[in-house]
Amino acid sequence: MEYEKIINKIYPKCEQVQDHLSFLRYFDEHPQYHQEGVVKRAIQRYEFFWIPFILNNSRDTENDLQFSPPLDIHWVWHVHMLAPQVYKADLESSVLRRMIGHRPSDPNSHNDKIKRERTASLWRRSYPDEPFEMDQSQQNRTFFSTALTYDLFMASGRQKNFFYQVSLPHYRDNDFLGSSIRRYAMFLQLKKMFPDAFLVPCYDIDIVWHTHQANPIEYVKETMEIIGESLNHDDNVEDRAVGSKLANASQSTIKLWKETFGEEFRKPGCMYRGLSPRGQLLQLSTDDQMSLLKTKIATIKLSTIKWNFLNQNSSTRSSIATNIKLKNSSQNFTKTEQKTHSEVNGILSRGSWSFSPKNLIEIEECNLPNIGFRIDSWEANPLSFCFDTERNKSHIATAFSPLYPFPPNKELKKLEFGDNKKGHLKTQIEFSGLSSRPTDMVFGIQPGSFSNCIIPETVQTLWGPIPLETLPKGVDNICRAVTHDIVNGMEEKVMSVYLIHSLPLSLSAVQVYVGDKMAVVAHTIETDTLGNLELDPTFQGIPWRAMVIKDNEGDYGICVGAWKGLTKGVPRVKGTQHTKGKPAQPGDHGYFTMVFYNLRTGTVETIKLPSDSGKNLVEMENLSVDWDEGHILAKKKGKNVAQNICLAFATSTLYLLVQPRPEDVESAEIRWKTEGSLTHTQPPFLKNAAMVFLLYSGWNERCKIPSNSTMVIDRKGKRVSADSGLGIVELLEFGEMVDAGNWIWDILELAEDYGWMDGSDTFAGCGGCGGGTGDGGGGDFLGDGVIFRDLEG
């Protein structure tokens, strides 16, 4: 039977797959149902309560659909159905003597809640001593032998990680799911044609296969009709090593698929993504995140200010303005902020001018507040005979005096400015209302130094939840790495960031530590995870790079960056006796653009650098980064402070990964200054050294980071060396090096060759379904770009 006919015969349609994804998401978001004690107790309740319940309350498999079990039971029941042959045998050997009917459903849906309430009412009458909902107090009850032949406890451990592979947004797109159903039908056709072959699905096929099995009655009936037997599902094969059963079956599936259908089996967005980060990183509560933004606050009040100055007795009046200068101001992020908080007139009394400010001023320690005074006096104008006029006498403003660090308790602080010759001012400042609170924090960076290090790709604890390919034997993973301390305004360390650039793995990673625990990671991902983005106009036809940000709850967000707007320059055409000449048309250096997709909120933000105003400032909803000064503003309303610090470095890393540059930047700069500065605008790569944040991210390591340009240079260098022995710079024309207009075409060629970029591991699909054929970076974010297309269209 050909797959076109199979599609019409099988149960799963887009709606059912969506329901099944909602079911999986629910249990991924409620990991308590995966705990050892809960699972073991649920297996007991499934066998000794749920199966007899159906026996006593349901007439047949269709009537079974009117009931919905307790959620802990529902999970282990679902796991049982994913071993369809054993499920059928176990249920037919039970007291029920038949399978239980089931269809995928969303536990949060109104219909499912109604069914659970109805079931709970009958349950309590049937089992008055057994609670319907999971009882945490009974988790540690002794587990006993079971008549079920399938090890549900071990299978639960394997299946709890499945949702991560299909959790990215493109799996919710009906066009993508329609393609997945088609490919599942092709998979069934292939199994019919090669019944003895151990076939390995990609994850787009696998989610449809799981959905089909979650309707066990239709699954057995339909697979019997299509391939002549109930198709088994082997989720016990997880070894992805080269030469393993899974690896060999993956290669065999690829070959049979291509020969049978004339198309590639591998599909962007359908490959293995590595293990879920859940449980592998430090869990940060909202209180933990806000503690990173905490600063001391105080209310200050000035006592009477005394001011003595030369010829003060001849002054008719005077005034003092109190100024507070903030070095780290969230309101004026890129420069020092100064505010006048009071301006009062003085009274001449007992040989000095006195001022009595009344207002209270609240200040935050992290802003590094300083206090100073602007002083003015006036005296009668002796040249005015007809009118009473005054002239202003200029006084030098006082120096600013720091108000930090704040005292631990309420106290008075004495301040004195000037001297007795030119003028002398003294006052006292009362500190009160001392406490602490989170605020929009300007973080600084105490930079480390990049160094060479070997970080074995096989030691997962060094990397965190980053899927890594295995390098060939004898190849060391030599990286350039650095640790930066993230400090608050008082230069107190609150976090640290570890950056890793690995050329052998073609990988860049950011790790954010809170204390000595890794809390957030970001790492580059390729087409097998993100797809090719060809349908998204932002990235159509240009090479892009991407990073995924992960925390202990899973994927936090995805950043996709590219260099856009590059155009080739057109040389001048000399005029002749018969034709008019044409002036040269300069190329455009282009700009960096990045789209950040927040997987938690669904919001999309786009940045452009340099901005239209020419600033090197990243401005996002909950984050601002001043690349020139190397400061990060994290806003408390965003709550995800550590994630935003990671986002800041992911953005600058992507900038370096996609920015076109020549091999010899120093030579290019000399040539631009001597030959091109009058006729060409400065190429962006020549501005990098002046941007502190790019230095922190690895600009000085540019030949040792896996950027597009580094890989182009490496490939061209090898090709040139083989052809002529010439260096790359010798082959580049000046316009190519300075305008960088032609440089992009080499990157485009590389991107086309490498799919930007393919990995080298060859596993996809479900590791617990016989695995598959994807690279170690795995999983596609957008399928064919559908998510960004939908969100922006």
Side-chain angles (χ1 to χ4, degrees):
M1 186 182 297
E2 295 183 349
Y3 69 86
E4 291 91 346
K5 295 180 180 178
I6 294 174
I7 292 174
N8 297 323
K9 275 188 168 291
I10 57 177
Y11 157 78
K13 299 295 183 284
C14 292
E15 182 181 356
Q16 286 75 46
V17 180
Q18 294 272 20
D19 286 341
H20 188 53
L21 286 166
S22 295
F23 175 88
L24 294 175
R25 177 177 291 279
Y26 180 88
F27 285 97
D28 185 72
E29 292 174 348
H30 296 80
Q32 64 268 29
Y33 291 107
H34 301 145
Q35 294 173 6
E36 179 180 347
V38 173
V39 172
K40 289 183 175 180
R41 177 70 179 142
I43 294 170
Q44 179 195 16
R45 280 158 50 84
Y46 169 57
E47 183 177 1
F48 292 97
F49 293 94
W50 179 241
I51 295 174
F53 176 90
I54 293 296
L55 173 66
N56 296 325
N57 292 280
S58 180
R59 300 184 304 273
D60 51 40
T61 57
E62 188 65 28
N63 191 235
D64 296 346
L65 303 177
Q66 303 304 311
F67 304 98
S68 185
L71 290 168
D72 60 322
I73 293 176
H74 208 159
W75 170 250
V76 297
W77 182 21
H78 158 77
V79 171
H80 202 186
M81 286 183 280
L82 295 182
Q85 291 183 357
V86 181
Y87 175 74
K88 183 175 184 294
D90 281 346
L91 268 292
E92 288 177 350
S93 299
S94 71
V95 294
L96 183 59
R97 302 298 177 188
R98 65 170 176 84
M99 290 189 292
I100 305 175
H102 179 270
R103 287 177 187 158
S105 60
D106 178 359
N108 278 326
S109 68
H110 176 72
N111 185 53
D112 209 61
K113 289 178 179 179
I114 293 297
K115 286 201 296 183
R116 254 195 330 273
E117 289 174 5
R118 184 167 59 245
T119 305
S121 179
L122 289 171
W123 177 287
R124 294 184 185 104
R125 290 204 293 268
S126 300
Y127 310 121
D129 298 325
E130 179 66 28
F132 181 76
E133 299 298 343
M134 177 182 65
D135 186 349
Q136 294 279 349
S137 66
Q138 296 188 14
Q139 285 186 39
N140 297 322
R141 286 175 52 171
T142 303
F143 190 63
F144 45 85
S145 61
T146 172
L148 301 175
T149 61
Y150 190 56
D151 191 339
L152 287 174
F153 177 71
M154 294 300 294
S156 173
R158 294 190 295 270
Q159 288 301 323
K160 70 180 182 181
N161 292 311
F162 177 78
F163 176 70
Y164 182 69
Q165 310 302 330
V166 296
S167 61
L168 290 176
H170 63 282
Y171 275 89
R172 290 291 188 169
D173 180 81
N174 281 336
D175 290 339
F176 178 85
L177 292 181
S179 172
S180 302
I181 293 168
R182 168 184 167 272
R183 280 165 50 88
Y184 174 58
M186 296 164 72
F187 182 80
L188 292 177
Q189 178 184 333
L190 204 64
K191 187 63 180 176
K192 178 177 176 60
M193 295 172 63
F194 303 97
D196 297 327
F198 180 59
L199 301 178
V200 180
C202 293
Y203 278 101
D204 63 324
I205 297 171
D206 217 12
I207 184 58
V208 183
W209 192 6
H210 282 214
T211 303
H212 201 183
Q213 292 170 88
N215 185 340
I217 309 304
E218 296 298 323
Y219 182 78
V220 170
K221 173 177 172 290
E222 291 168 0
T223 56
M224 285 288 291
E225 290 177 358
I226 295 166
I227 65 175
E229 63 176 353
S230 174
L231 179 59
N232 196 30
H233 177 261
D234 184 0
D235 78 338
N236 199 32
V237 182
E238 297 186 288
D239 182 8
R240 299 175 180 273
V242 175
S244 66
K245 178 182 178 180
L246 186 56
N248 293 336
S250 296
Q251 296 305 313
S252 175
T253 305
I254 291 172
K255 182 174 181 292
L256 291 174
W257 191 279
K258 179 73 171 180
E259 291 173 350
T260 304
F261 303 115
E263 63 181 59
E264 296 299 325
F265 180 64
R266 290 168 62 99
K267 183 179 178 182
C270 307
M271 319 313 285
Y272 180 64
R273 303 181 58 219
L275 295 176
S276 167
R278 187 181 292 279
Q280 298 191 58
L281 296 165
L282 176 66
Q283 179 66 44
L284 295 175
S285 66
T286 300
D287 288 343
D288 294 331
Q289 299 271 14
M290 291 298 99
S291 70
L292 303 174
L293 300 177
K294 270 194 173 179
T295 186
K296 292 179 182 178
I297 60 171
T299 300
I300 60 169
K301 179 182 178 182
L302 276 68
S303 66
T304 299
I305 301 171
K306 300 290 186 180
W307 179 31
N308 294 284
F309 55 94
L310 293 175
N311 302 317
Q312 62 183 18
N313 292 330
S314 64
S315 296
T316 57
R317 62 187 178 95
S318 65
S319 70
I320 280 185
T322 303
N323 295 323
I324 302 291
K325 183 167 67 175
L326 307 176
K327 182 179 179 181
N328 296 331
S329 170
S330 61
Q331 300 300 317
N332 202 349
F333 173 48
T334 58
K335 53 188 176 182
T336 299
E337 180 180 4
Q338 182 171 314
K339 289 184 177 180
T340 299
H341 285 269
S342 67
E343 188 165 355
V344 295
N345 294 321
I347 299 174
L348 184 62
S349 173
R350 296 181 182 180
S352 64
W353 285 89
S354 297
F355 307 84
S356 300
K358 301 295 184 182
N359 60 318
L360 303 176
I361 304 171
E362 185 179 82
I363 52 177
E364 296 181 337
E365 189 179 46
C366 67
N367 290 334
L368 306 183
N370 286 257
I371 192 168
F373 302 93
R374 189 188 76 247
I375 307 168
D376 290 289
S377 67
W378 290 262
E379 59 185 29
N381 187 348
L383 300 179
S384 176
F385 304 103
C386 301
F387 304 98
D388 293 331
T389 60
E390 295 176 318
R391 65 181 180 183
N392 179 256
K393 184 178 180 181
S394 176
H395 297 271
I396 299 174
T398 69
F400 278 89
S401 178
L403 296 172
Y404 61 92
F406 291 177
N409 301 301
K410 181 177 179 180
E411 71 171 42
L412 290 174
K413 182 177 182 178
K414 293 182 179 180
L415 290 179
E416 293 192 28
F417 299 90
D419 55 52
N420 292 325
K421 291 182 179 180
K422 295 182 179 180
H424 181 262
L425 182 150
K426 61 181 179 179
T427 187
Q428 291 189 124
I429 299 177
E430 178 184 322
F431 283 80
S432 64
L434 290 151
S435 62
S436 64
R437 70 183 179 201
T439 188
D440 292 346
M441 180 70 72
V442 177
F443 288 110
I445 299 173
Q446 292 180 348
S449 298
F450 277 92
S451 61
N452 270 348
C453 56
I454 296 176
I455 309 178
E457 75 279 9
T458 54
V459 183
Q460 194 67 39
T461 53
L462 298 176
W463 294 90
I466 301 176
L468 302 170
E469 64 180 83
T470 302
L471 294 173
K473 189 174 181 180
V475 177
D476 290 329
N477 184 34
I478 300 175
C479 306
R480 293 293 286 176
V482 66
T483 300
H484 301 310
D485 290 341
I486 308 300
V487 297
N488 62 19
M490 294 298 293
E491 297 193 353
E492 299 163 333
K493 177 182 172 181
V494 292
M495 288 171 280
S496 56
V497 170
Y498 190 48
L499 299 181
I500 306 171
H501 295 293
S502 167
L503 273 176
L505 292 173
S506 298
L507 176 84
S508 292
V510 180
Q511 299 171 337
V512 178
Y513 285 78
V514 176
D516 61 351
K517 303 293 184 184
M518 193 187 305
V520 186
V521 300
H523 62 87
T524 47
I525 51 176
E526 314 301 352
T527 53
D528 280 347
T529 293
L530 194 56
N532 53 31
L533 300 181
E534 287 181 357
L535 298 183
D536 177 62
T538 303
F539 301 104
Q540 189 170 7
I542 55 175
W544 48 264
R545 299 296 291 276
M547 299 186 80
V548 59
I549 301 173
K550 302 175 178 178
D551 58 24
N552 195 54
E553 296 180 10
D555 292 343
Y556 175 75
I558 289 183
C559 308
V560 186
W563 201 268
K564 296 192 67 176
L566 274 164
T567 58
K568 290 184 178 182
V570 178
R572 179 175 66 90
V573 177
K574 291 183 179 180
T576 68
Q577 184 178 358
H578 305 289
T579 61
K580 186 178 180 180
K582 294 182 180 180
Q585 298 294 325
D588 192 321
H589 298 306
Y591 58 91
F592 171 74
T593 186
M594 189 190 82
V595 177
F596 171 62
Y597 181 68
N598 189 314
L599 294 170
R600 303 281 165 77
T601 65
T603 57
V604 176
E605 296 184 78
T606 301
I607 67 167
K608 177 184 176 183
L609 288 169
S611 65
D612 291 333
S613 62
K615 293 182 179 178
N616 300 309
L617 181 66
V618 175
E619 293 187 276
M620 305 180 78
E621 182 179 2
N622 299 311
L623 173 73
S624 296
V625 189
D626 182 350
W627 281 11
D628 291 330
E629 298 298 326
H631 293 155
I632 303 171
L633 170 60
K635 302 173 185 178
K636 64 181 179 180
K637 70 175 183 178
K639 298 183 180 178
N640 297 304
V641 181
Q643 291 88 337
N644 282 325
I645 295 296
C646 194
L647 174 59
F649 281 93
T651 303
S652 56
T653 297
L654 285 174
Y655 185 94
L656 295 179
L657 292 182
V658 301
Q659 184 187 53
R661 64 167 179 83
E663 181 179 18
D664 191 338
V665 170
E666 290 75 13
S667 296
E669 183 170 19
I670 292 171
R671 295 184 68 179
W672 179 78
K673 287 180 178 178
T674 57
E675 302 176 36
S677 59
L678 297 178
T679 57
H680 297 77
T681 58
Q682 188 179 22
F685 63 82
L686 293 183
K687 303 175 183 179
N688 289 0
M691 287 184 265
V692 175
F693 209 82
L694 292 184
L695 299 181
Y696 295 158
S697 302
W699 167 243
N700 285 342
E701 317 301 314
R702 55 189 170 272
C703 296
K704 298 179 181 179
I705 68 175
S707 68
N708 294 0
S709 293
T710 299
M711 294 179 184
V712 166
I713 291 165
D714 181 65
R715 191 181 71 159
K716 287 190 75 171
K718 290 176 182 176
R719 186 176 66 201
V720 168
S721 177
D723 291 344
S724 63
L726 295 176
I728 185 94
V729 175
E730 295 176 81
L731 295 185
L732 288 173
E733 294 296 328
F734 174 70
E736 290 180 296
M737 185 178 296
V738 174
D739 284 337
N742 294 323
W743 193 259
I744 190 64
W745 309 114
D746 293 319
I747 296 177
L748 283 168
E749 181 183 349
L750 185 75
E752 184 177 355
D753 289 350
Y754 287 88
W756 212 249
M757 308 237 342
D758 258 348
S760 60
D761 280 351
T762 52
F763 300 112
C766 178
C769 302
T773 60
D775 85 71
D780 167 32
F781 169 42
L782 301 180
D784 292 319
V786 292
I787 295 302
F788 280 117
R789 180 197 65 200
D790 289 348
L791 287 167
E792 296 194 353

